[in-house]
Amino acid sequence: METEPERLDVSALAAQPIAYWTWATTRVLLQHVRSSLARVDVTQQQWWTLNYVDAAENGLTRAQVRGRLDAFLDEVSPEDMGHAVDSLLHREWLTADDADRLTLTDVGRDAKVRIKALVAELRSEIHEGITDEEYAAALTILQRVIRNVGGTATPR
């Protein structure tokens, strides 16, 4: 049984390394999200690609898709993004025009709606028992930690 946060020793928690906890959280969340997406035969890169292409009024080129994902390229290679685009073209979820601008097909839009429902379920599961205020406070603290060590992070 987990101890309620109100009963925890604040001094003991404050002495723990935030780098460990952010790493452990990232690792577990990525595993959970990626395995959930894999059950519907979609990768995280494919999901990102569908979102970015759909949000662009006139579609995106491959280079623009990669540009949108620069923040993730420490973990995701440009080749991974190329594979994501290729697989979405093969599934006919994306189409490319003569200028190689990618846009969603009707099949791609339908797939995006189904995947978005799964992602919403995942978000609810991840946020279970956490108020919006607590979640916002956690993100605010993480953003401050990033700034404190001279980093920058922009929400995608």
Side-chain angles (χ1 to χ4, degrees):
M1 182 169 149
E2 290 189 33
T3 307
E4 291 294 320
E6 296 80 27
R7 297 181 190 177
L8 295 176
D9 181 343
V10 172
S11 295
L13 278 174
Q16 293 187 15
I18 194 167
Y20 168 77
W21 288 107
T22 56
W23 168 80
T25 302
T26 299
R27 188 173 57 91
V28 137
L29 286 175
L30 287 175
Q31 163 98 30
H32 183 68
V33 168
R34 289 175 179 169
S35 65
S36 297
L37 289 171
R39 285 193 288 278
V40 295
D41 196 27
V42 174
T43 67
Q44 192 172 32
Q45 294 88 351
Q46 290 167 334
W47 171 239
W48 291 334
T49 300
L50 289 172
N51 280 297
Y52 287 126
V53 169
D54 194 36
E57 188 173 328
N58 298 311
L60 296 173
T61 65
R62 285 174 182 265
Q64 289 170 320
V65 169
R66 279 193 307 274
R68 296 277 196 305
L69 297 167
D70 281 345
F72 306 107
L73 291 182
D74 283 346
E75 183 178 330
V76 179
S77 72
E79 292 81 20
D80 290 336
M81 291 312 304
H83 294 311
V85 169
D86 289 339
S87 66
L88 294 173
L89 286 166
H90 179 75
R91 288 181 179 194
E92 298 182 352
W93 291 7
L94 290 180
T95 189
D97 65 15
D98 292 338
D100 287 328
R101 294 194 76 74
L102 304 164
T103 55
L104 266 68
T105 63
D106 289 340
V107 176
R109 276 187 204 74
D110 291 344
K112 183 179 175 240
V113 167
R114 288 190 311 275
I115 300 163
K116 186 175 182 175
L118 170 62
V119 170
E121 288 175 26
L122 291 171
R123 184 186 188 286
S124 291
E125 182 180 352
I126 290 165
H127 288 233
E128 186 175 337
I130 302 169
T131 67
D132 287 347
E133 292 78 15
E134 290 170 324
Y135 188 80
L139 295 184
T140 300
I141 290 165
L142 291 173
Q143 290 167 358
R144 190 175 318 138
V145 167
I146 291 167
R147 286 191 309 273
N148 286 350
V149 296
T152 60
T154 307
R156 292 286 179 150

